Amino acid sequence: MADTTGHPTEPGVASETDPSTRPSSWRHIGPGIVVAATGVGAGDLVATLIAGSSFGYTLLWAAIVGCLVKISLAEAAGRWHLSTGRTLFDGWASLGRWTTWFFAVYAVVWGFVYGAAAMSSSALPLQALFPDVMDLKWWAVACGLSGLVFVWFNRYAVFEKVMTVLVGVMFLVTVYLAIRVTPNLPDAFAGLLPVLPDEKDSVLNTLGLIGGVGGTITLAAYGYWVNAKGWTDTGWMKVMRLDNRVAYATTGIFVVAMLFVGAELLHSANVALASGDKGLIQLGDILEGEYGSATATFFLVGFFATSYTSLIGVWHGVSLMFADFVARLRPGTEAARGEEVASGARERSWPFRAYLLWLTFPPIVLLFQDQPFRLVIVYGVLGAAFLPFLAGTLLWLLNSARTPRAWRNGPLSNTMLVLAGLLFLVLCVKQIWDQPWSEFF
C-alpha cells in the first residue's frame, strides 16, 4: 500500500536517501506471498463462487474493496513491527492485560477447532483424486501430520519457498478456470460499479463478501513473517509495502477469478453450490461434466494447494505468534523484539512446537467424533471478534506515542482502519446473533 502515514520522514528515521533504506524490489517479495496463500482458504473460494452464482458480476466491486481493506490491516501490522522494532503482541500487551486474556482464550479454542477444519479441508481433494486409497479421516490425519513435520523441521526460508510454489499452482489453476469459462468482460466491468443486489439481506451478503476476502489471524501474523524474513527496521518499509501490495493483488486475482467461474459456470445455469469445502468438490464434478476429467483433476490439484497452504501457513504463523505470546509472559521480559523473530529463535522454542502439537493432535480427536457443539459456537464468536480487535488495537497503537511520530497513521490509514473496524464489528454482531444460543444453555 502507498504511504498511509501522511508524515514526512523525521531526523533519526530511515528515509529514501538513507543508505540503510532498501529500495523496493521484486526479489525481496516473500511474506506477502505467504500471507496471501494462508489467507485464501477453500472457504473463501466457495463464498466467492456462491456470490458469483447468486449475483453474477454484481458484487465484483465488493471483492476488490475487500482486498483494499485487508491491505490496510496488513500494512498497519507490518508498519508497527518495522517502526517500533517490537512485535505486535508486545504492542497489545502495552494496552492492558485484557488483550493477553483475549489472545490466550482465542489461541486455545480457535486452534483446537481450526486444526480439525484445516485437516479436513486439505483431505477432501486428496480423497477425490485418490478415492480408493483411504478414508477421508485418515487423509485428514496425514495432512495434519505432514504439516507438523514440515513446519517442525524447517525454518522460514524453506517454508516461504514451498508456499511460493503452491501459490504458483493456485494462480495457474484459478486463472486457467477464469479463462476457460470465457468471462463476459462488459458485464465484469459493469460489476466494478458499487451496486447492491436487489434481494433480501443484500447489504449483509455484500459486507460478508468484503470481509471474507483472505485472512483472519493471518493478517496479524504478517508482521511476524516480515520479521522472520529478516526485515526488522524502517529501512525495509518500502519493501514491506510493495510486498503487501503484491499479497493482496494476488488475493484479488484468486477471488476475481473464482467469481468469474461462479458467474459464468453456475449463475447462467442456475446451479447452487453447497456451502463449505464440499462446494468445491461439487464444482469439480460440474467441471468434469462441462470440460472433461483433465480440467476437473487440474482443479482438484489447485483445491489441495489452496487448502494445504492455509494449513501450513497457520501451523507456522500462529505458532510464531504463540511463541511470542509466551516469551512476553516470562518474568523480567520488558519487550519482545523483532530481531528475536528474525534470528529464528522463536521457531526453535518449545512454545512454538507446543502450539504446533496443539494444532495437530487434539483436533484429530474431532475428526473421529462429532464436534463439541458449545465449543464450535465459542469458536465462531472468537473468530468473528478477532478482526474488530485487530483493527481497533492497530488504530490505538499507531495513533499513540508507542509509535515513532514519522510512522503514525495519516488520514488515509485511519480512514481505512476505521472502515475495517466498523465492517468487522457489524459482521461480528451478525455472527454472534446467528449462533443458536437457545441450544447452548
Side-chain angles (χ1 to χ4, degrees), residues 391 395 413-423:
L395 269 170
S413 189
N414 276 328
T415 299
M416 293 299 292
L417 289 179
V418 167
L419 289 175
L422 291 174
L423 164 68

Side-chain angles (χ1 to χ4, degrees), residues 14-362:
S15 68
E16 291 187 27
T17 58
D18 191 319
S20 66
T21 301
R22 285 80 176 174
S24 55
S25 170
W26 292 99
R27 66 188 177 87
H28 292 305
I29 297 303
I33 295 295
V34 172
V35 77
T38 307
V40 179
D44 298 291
L45 297 187
V46 171
T48 310
L49 280 166
I50 291 175
S53 65
S54 300
F55 308 116
Y57 293 105
T58 305
L59 292 181
L60 179 59
W61 65 272
I64 294 172
V65 170
C67 290
L68 295 177
V69 168
K70 300 297 177 62
I71 284 175
S72 300
L73 283 166
E75 188 274 343
R79 177 155 43 95
W80 166 264
H81 277 251
L82 296 183
S83 65
T84 65
R86 299 160 63 190
T87 64
L88 184 55
F89 187 81
D90 191 61
W92 286 339
S94 73
L95 301 179
R97 292 190 63 82
W98 66 275
T99 60
T100 300
W101 285 108
F102 176 83
F103 183 80
V105 175
Y106 179 88
V108 172
V109 175
W110 183 88
F112 182 47
V113 181
Y114 179 83
M119 287 187 265
S120 295
S121 179
S122 299
L124 278 169
L126 290 177
Q127 189 191 42
L129 286 166
F130 309 104
D132 300 322
V133 174
M134 56 183 169
D135 184 72
L136 177 67
K137 293 182 177 63
W138 291 109
W139 275 119
V141 171
C143 289
L145 293 177
S146 66
L148 169 71
V149 171
F150 172 72
V151 175
W152 188 292
F153 290 105
N154 289 293
R155 297 293 169 257
Y156 175 79
V158 176
F159 166 72
E160 182 190 287
K161 287 181 173 61
V162 171
M163 292 289 273
T164 301
V165 171
L166 292 174
V167 166
V169 174
M170 292 167 61
F171 185 89
L172 288 174
V173 170
T174 53
V175 172
Y176 167 76
L177 289 177
I179 295 171
R180 192 77 171 83
V181 298
T182 317
N184 185 321
L185 294 181
D187 285 354
F189 283 118
L192 296 175
L193 296 175
V195 175
L196 292 175
D198 187 20
E199 295 191 20
K200 183 182 177 182
D201 295 331
S202 62
V203 173
L204 288 174
N205 287 332
T206 302
L207 292 178
L209 180 61
I210 293 172
V213 179
T216 50
I217 193 173
T218 55
L219 290 165
Y222 178 64
Y224 288 86
W225 285 322
V226 163
N227 286 159
K229 180 75 169 175
W231 306 347
T232 57
D233 56 45
T234 56
W236 291 102
M237 196 69 76
K238 287 183 66 177
V239 176
M240 182 275 291
R241 283 172 168 153
L242 173 63
D243 180 74
N244 184 42
R245 288 195 294 269
V246 169
Y248 283 95
T250 305
T251 299
I253 290 171
F254 294 152
V255 171
V256 169
M258 296 311 287
L259 192 138
F260 281 8
V261 173
E264 293 295 338
L265 188 62
L266 306 177
H267 181 68
S268 58
N270 198 27
V271 175
L273 280 187
S275 61
D277 299 343
K278 291 184 179 179
L280 291 184
I281 295 296
Q282 185 182 351
L283 177 63
D285 294 337
I286 294 170
L287 288 170
E288 183 171 9
E290 289 286 330
Y291 305 114
S293 59
T295 296
T297 300
F298 190 47
F299 166 73
L300 290 172
V301 171
F303 177 7
F304 172 73
T306 300
S307 297
Y308 197 66
T309 51
S310 293
L311 186 151
I312 61 175
V314 167
W315 263 229
H316 186 276
V318 184
S319 297
L320 205 54
M321 293 181 69
F322 185 79
D324 188 51
F325 162 73
V326 173
R328 184 64 179 73
L329 295 180
R330 289 172 184 161
T333 302
E334 295 183 0
R337 312 298 300 183
E339 287 87 349
E340 295 175 57
V341 180
S343 71
R346 292 280 188 269
E347 295 168 278
R348 296 188 294 271
S349 66
W350 70 263
F352 179 91
R353 290 176 169 174
Y355 196 74
L356 265 179
L357 296 172
W358 175 254
L359 283 167
T360 307
F361 288 104

